[in-house]
Amino acid sequence: MIYSVAPLLLGWSIDALIGDPYSLPHPIRLFGNLIAFGEKILNRGSHRRLKGTLLSLFLVGLVIGVFWLATYLLSPYPLFKGIFEAIFIFYGLSARQLVKEALAVEHFVQTDDLTGARHRVGYIVGRDTSNLSFNQIRTATLETLAENLSDGVVAPLFFYAIGGVPLMMGYKMINTLDSMIGYKNERYGEFGYFAAKILDDWANYLPARITAILIWMLHPTRQVWHHIRRYARAHSSPNSGYPESAMAGLLGCRFGGPNVYHGKLVEKPYIGEIERDITHADLIRGCRVVSVVTLLSVGIVCGILLLL
């Protein structure tokens, strides 16, 4: 079991030190290219939902199979197997990069550069950022921190704990499928239905709720728990509302509300009770929540692996 814990600690340490340098090759780019190739061929004509379902199942199965075969072939060589696993654990986690992106947005806000802040926050959110105020930019950044704490940290670690690197990378393919074809529009509504509404929703069901509990554990007050119970199900997503409501309760602020997506105004429900401006201190605290929850999650997974 030492070869399950050691790669995890090494992979997490590399992520904590350097994040995801843009100059490095990344498996998620390969995943994206595979999805784009399949979508270009299959997303046409009739039976688009069936085609999207088959493509999603094939790609997730392919990733799990390839990584299972690689770890199986490397099993007689524990050192090389551990290095291989550590590399892909590093690729599977995005805690440092998430904080870096949030702080990059905050830099423009702090320097009173509204154009730069709008452009930079567009890297990490799906909404139209061209008319956002500084407060809306900070709100969007905190929402993304909370949601991606689940998608980019807790969920990958959850799947590593139950299925090693193969299942961890299979989850990353599910997450990439949802980010590329999981949109409710004319092009992807049918083709991406299975990827978004079945695979991604179910894959994130437990991790999202675990994330909310971990955030509550950092500040175990009635306010945080009240926010989770009252607002977690208010979100249009069955999962995103859990970490967002926990973060809103911890910070004592409000997320959600109307935003423009792909040219259309979407009236999202509010998450949280206290309507106030988001401050620089809130952003810094949100980044610390990401870092501490990541450390706590890694510790819990290591403990589980050692016990097993």
Side-chain angles (χ1 to χ4, degrees):
M1 193 55 66
I2 186 65
Y3 292 107
S4 294
V5 172
L8 174 57
L9 292 175
L10 180 57
W12 163 70
S13 298
I14 299 171
D15 176 70
L17 288 172
I18 66 173
D20 289 332
Y22 294 116
S23 58
L24 286 180
H26 204 294
I28 302 304
R29 296 193 191 105
L30 175 60
F31 291 178
N33 290 336
L34 291 172
I35 294 166
F37 178 75
E39 190 268 340
K40 184 177 180 180
I41 294 174
L42 297 174
N43 192 14
R44 62 180 69 180
S46 57
H47 307 297
R48 294 193 184 194
R49 183 176 293 193
L50 176 61
K51 293 175 183 176
T53 299
L54 293 175
L55 176 67
S56 300
L57 290 173
F58 171 75
L59 290 178
V60 174
L62 176 67
V63 168
I64 293 174
V66 166
F67 279 92
W68 178 86
L69 180 62
T71 53
Y72 174 77
L73 293 176
L74 288 170
S75 57
Y77 315 100
L79 177 61
F80 294 106
K81 178 174 178 285
I83 293 172
F84 173 83
E85 290 181 334
I87 290 170
F88 284 97
I89 290 168
F90 156 66
Y91 281 131
L93 296 175
S94 57
R96 173 65 183 271
Q97 195 63 26
L98 182 57
V99 171
K100 284 170 65 176
E101 292 293 340
L103 293 177
V105 174
E106 183 62 11
H107 168 74
F108 288 104
V109 177
Q110 283 285 92
T111 56
D112 210 32
D113 184 351
L114 184 57
T115 301
R118 287 170 173 171
H119 176 72
R120 189 72 191 194
V121 78
Y123 289 8
I124 58 174
V125 300
R127 70 197 65 178
D128 182 356
T129 65
S130 59
N131 294 306
L132 296 184
S133 66
F134 282 128
N135 188 60
Q136 290 171 320
I137 289 168
R138 279 176 166 163
T139 301
T141 303
L142 280 172
E143 290 174 359
T144 298
L145 279 174
E147 183 178 354
N148 284 282
L149 176 56
S150 176
D151 294 353
V153 178
V154 176
L157 289 171
F158 173 82
F159 284 101
Y160 178 76
I162 63 177
V165 166
L167 211 56
M168 184 185 205
M169 298 312 293
Y171 169 77
K172 297 301 290 186
M173 173 56 87
I174 291 173
N175 198 240
T176 309
L177 281 162
D178 179 62
S179 68
M180 290 186 64
I181 63 174
Y183 295 103
K184 298 177 182 178
N185 56 28
E186 185 177 350
R187 178 173 178 176
Y188 297 118
E190 285 295 305
F191 189 77
Y193 178 85
F194 182 79
K197 301 303 294 181
I198 307 299
L199 280 180
D200 191 74
D201 282 358
W202 280 106
N204 285 297
Y205 186 87
L206 286 176
R209 288 150 179 81
I210 293 170
T211 304
I213 293 172
L214 292 174
I215 294 173
W216 171 77
M217 287 173 62
L218 302 185
H219 192 62
T221 63
R222 293 180 63 183
Q223 174 175 297
V224 179
W225 192 251
H226 167 73
H227 273 67
I228 296 171
R229 292 191 62 185
R230 180 170 180 180
Y231 295 105
R233 296 182 185 87
H235 202 286
S236 58
S237 163
N239 299 315
S240 298
Y242 282 84
E244 287 189 23
S245 61
M247 184 72 85
L250 186 146
L251 296 175
C253 64
R254 189 170 76 171
F255 297 153
N259 275 291
V260 177
Y261 292 84
H262 308 292
K264 294 183 178 179
L265 180 65
V266 178
E267 294 286 349
K268 286 192 170 184
Y270 286 104
I271 295 177
E273 298 170 352
I274 303 172
E275 183 181 4
R276 64 172 180 84
D277 286 344
I278 305 297
T279 66
H280 174 71
D282 293 323
L283 254 295
I284 298 303
R285 193 177 183 192
C287 290
R288 287 174 179 162
V289 167
V290 171
S291 299
V292 177
V293 168
T294 301
L295 180 61
L296 183 59
S297 301
V298 170
I300 291 171
V301 173
C302 285
I304 291 171
L305 293 175
L306 288 171
L307 285 173
L308 292 175

